[in-house]
Amino acid sequence: MTAPIRSICCIGAGYVGGPTMAVIADRCPQIQVTVVDLNAARIAAWNDADLSKLPVYEPGLDAVVGRCRGRNLHFSTEVEPAIAAADMVFLSVNTPTKTKGVGAGQASDLRWIEASARQVAACAQGHTIVVEKSTLPVRTAETVKAILSAAQGDVPGGGEPKSFAVLSNPEFLAEGTAIPDLENPDRVLIGGEDSDAIEALAGVYGQWVPQERILRTNLWSSELSKLTANAFLAQRISSINSIAALCESTGADVQEVAHAIGTDSRIGSKFLKAGPGFGGSCFQKDILNLVYLCGHYGLHEVAAYWQSVVDLNAWQQHRIARLVVQKLFGTVTGKRIAILGFAFKADTNDTREAPAIRICQDLLEEGAQLAIHDPKVPEAQMASDLGCPAEAGGWHAVASPQLAVGGADAVVILTEWQSFRELPWMELAPLMRRPAWLFDARSVADLTAARAAGLQVWRVGMG
Ligand code: UDX
Ligand code: ADP
């Protein structure tokens, strides 16, 4: 019989760790949950009395944090005592794609996983269940296990000897809908070999998730399922974006095609929205991991198949930038272009791998002057992503769509924020230089209104 979990520590207070732990604390008032991070500014923001200043923007998150913080949800930079007090430690640290060394550009950089596993090995007391929450390449649990087993049996300060169990529990939440995804998941996946540990974690989720949605697998299946789920989802986006390009050349409409194929219950209607390509911290990283893994096992055709999903995504982004230049008489040098949306999707302030980055960089490269507006992304984040400061870099951030379009030859919509669906084209169009263009890469604008206001329009996938 497994003792119920009383105390959880989560290492990493990011987009995954923060919301996931907030929902666990909310649904399990009997468990003390402490989220730790080395980044003191991030922890201070999680502790900010003003809930609009949380470091992660997610609809509904402020309410959950407001209910639990100080009760059984704590944010701290004190990593060691939080590990020592925990029955269960979640590793929710960053695992970006390696930029140098073996596997550069494909494999995940596991240095933060390794460092946090070492901290757990050093500070844990008694029996500790360690849960991989970050997206990781298959067989990472082995690394974590090897580090922990070196400390197994140590008796710190005369206490109980240390022992560990390692589980994989991949996160399937999507940013922007993290809270509903966590509160009502399609499934929770727990991979591992130690059935007591698996049941202890299943007991935590079982507080609010029906048992039939808690799937149990071996460690490797769990890790590979996460990569495969993301690869399949991303593959649908590249597939529909490839068809969008064909629609534009042939006079078909990708929205009609997506609807027609999506009504086939074998295909389904979700994840068929053509756009500027997928962004976010997971899809590209996970596919590249899969490509690396396949290459490692000599499955070169399989590696090439998945690589093409990433390649098509990059192509779509460059294609949109090229198309803007081409429609503006082949040159954008010195022309002002309004960019609406910088986040990788709506309802998040996250810009990791955002399509806007590549598209803006291409336009800047062509000499355009960009006025960028995003309701949630600050200028400093844009500067870091674009790799150049505002003004000197040929761009600046503005506080409203009105300010962005003033004097612009074109407006390009790159994120599907609700507010962009309701843009007052009759008011905006006269602020622009004629002939003016609207490029709607997210299919959100009211094109009839934009045309009536005198704009020329392009929408992704509309022939
Ligand atoms: C994804 C997975 O959905 C989630 O299960 C996993 O845990 C993490 O990775 P996330 O990246 O947060 O979540 O958002 P998601 O909604 O999947 O969107 C990813 C990208 O695909 C966004 O840039 C989005 O705009 C784009 N997208 C999505 C499309 O272009 N078309 C679609 O039809 C759907
Ligand atoms: P994700 O989207 O996976 O949540 P983030 O980058 O948003 O990724 O969050 C990961 C967090 O993990 C960062 O805030 C980082 O500072 C933190 N982190 C990384 N390594 C450690 C560590 N050894 N101890 C504590 N926090 C860590």
Side-chain angles (χ1 to χ4, degrees):
M1 254 311 282
T2 344
I5 299 299
R6 295 260 159 248
S7 174
I8 288 177
C9 166
C10 173
I11 305 183
Y15 283 90
V16 171
T20 308
M21 293 303 125
V23 169
I24 290 182
D26 197 30
R27 297 304 172 121
C28 307
Q30 74 287 6
I31 301 180
Q32 287 295 319
V33 180
T34 305
V35 191
V36 295
D37 204 297
L38 298 171
N39 182 336
R42 211 166 205 188
I43 290 298
W46 280 109
N47 283 321
D48 201 304
D50 179 355
L51 288 168
S52 71
K53 300 228 172 83
L54 296 182
V56 169
Y57 172 71
E58 272 295 337
L61 176 64
D62 48 355
V64 179
V65 171
R67 277 200 292 278
C68 311
R69 202 176 54 189
R71 180 189 77 185
N72 66 327
L73 176 64
H74 314 279
F75 295 94
S76 169
T77 51
E78 304 272 310
V79 179
E80 297 180 1
I83 295 173
D87 310 316
M88 182 174 271
V89 177
F90 285 79
L91 305 182
S92 196
V93 299
N94 32 328
T95 51
T97 304
K98 281 182 82 169
T99 53
K100 53 186 181 194
V102 177
Q106 290 184 336
S108 277
D109 189 338
L110 295 181
R111 77 177 95 164
W112 292 277
I113 278 287
E114 180 176 337
S116 50
R118 285 184 191 279
Q119 272 174 309
V120 177
C123 306
Q125 297 194 353
H127 185 62
T128 308
I129 300 171
V130 178
V131 185
E132 291 180 351
K133 198 63 176 162
S134 321
T135 306
L136 294 165
V138 177
R139 300 210 166 243
T140 304
E142 201 140 87
T143 309
V144 172
K145 266 196 205 159
I147 291 169
L148 295 175
S149 61
Q152 184 107 0
D154 286 0
V155 186
E160 267 185 65
K162 293 185 193 210
S163 60
F164 300 98
V166 178
L167 299 176
S168 158
N169 173 220
E171 189 47 73
F172 293 107
L173 68 81
E175 289 177 30
T177 53
I179 301 301
D181 291 350
L182 286 161
E183 289 180 336
N184 187 22
D186 286 347
R187 79 312 207 177
V188 165
L189 185 54
I190 303 177
E193 283 132 30
D194 179 327
S195 56
D196 283 350
I198 292 173
E199 293 320 310
L201 182 55
V204 173
Y205 286 110
Q207 299 290 312
W208 78 95
V209 180
Q211 275 306 320
E212 64 275 13
R213 289 200 214 157
I214 303 179
L215 312 182
R216 295 152 173 89
T217 67
N218 74 33
L219 268 179
W220 324 127
S221 297
S222 167
E223 290 179 333
L224 186 58
S225 298
K226 167 77 179 193
L227 298 189
T228 307
N230 279 343
F232 269 58
L233 290 169
Q235 176 263 117
R236 283 173 73 94
I237 301 171
S238 279
S239 296
I240 201 69
N241 284 341
S242 73
I243 299 301
L246 185 60
C247 287
E248 289 166 31
S249 302
T250 57
D253 185 330
V254 78
Q255 288 190 341
E256 292 178 354
V257 174
H259 179 69
I261 64 168
T263 48
D264 184 327
S265 61
R266 294 168 302 176
I267 295 175
S269 60
K270 292 183 183 164
F271 266 73
L272 288 180
K273 273 199 210 84
F278 55 77
S281 68
C282 280
F283 282 174
Q284 176 169 310
K285 180 183 80 175
D286 286 356
I287 296 178
L288 293 175
N289 252 317
L290 202 56
V291 169
Y292 185 66
L293 197 69
C294 294
H296 175 80
Y297 288 104
L299 300 168
H300 301 296
E301 287 75 9
V302 184
Y305 173 71
W306 288 111
Q307 178 67 45
S308 72
V309 172
V310 173
D311 293 345
L312 195 116
N313 196 53
W315 175 80
Q316 173 79 343
Q317 294 168 5
H318 292 306
R319 181 175 87 84
I320 289 175
R322 273 201 307 273
L323 195 136
V324 171
V325 175
Q326 184 205 332
K327 299 275 190 210
L328 297 183
F329 310 113
T331 174
V332 292
T333 306
K335 289 181 183 165
R336 183 170 161 120
I337 298 177
I339 302 290
L340 298 186
F342 201 84
F344 83 94
K345 63 185 279 194
D347 291 328
T348 178
N349 58 347
D350 194 349
T351 61
R352 286 176 289 179
E353 306 296 340
I357 300 173
R358 197 173 268 146
I359 294 172
C360 288
Q361 281 172 336
D362 282 3
L363 293 172
L364 289 170
E365 181 83 5
E366 292 283 341
Q369 299 283 320
L370 306 182
I372 311 177
H373 167 70
D374 187 286
K376 289 287 172 192
V377 180
E379 182 178 286
Q381 186 60 49
M382 295 174 187
S384 146
D385 291 330
L386 293 173
C388 59
E391 306 304 341
W395 65 276
H396 62 288
V398 293
S400 70
Q402 280 74 5
L403 290 171
V405 303
D409 287 36
V411 47
V412 187
I413 301 180
L414 295 180
T415 310
E416 73 284 22
W417 286 101
Q418 180 60 31
S419 55
F420 299 161
R421 297 177 194 271
E422 297 148 7
L423 288 170
W425 293 107
M426 282 298 179
E427 184 192 315
L428 297 178
L431 305 174
M432 300 176 71
R433 186 169 83 146
R434 300 201 170 213
W437 274 90
L438 161 62
F439 296 94
D440 184 2
R442 290 288 190 172
S443 308
V444 290
D446 179 345
L447 298 189
T448 312
R451 280 199 193 96
L455 298 183
Q456 307 197 60
V457 300
W458 170 89
R459 196 202 74 210
V460 66
M462 181 175 69

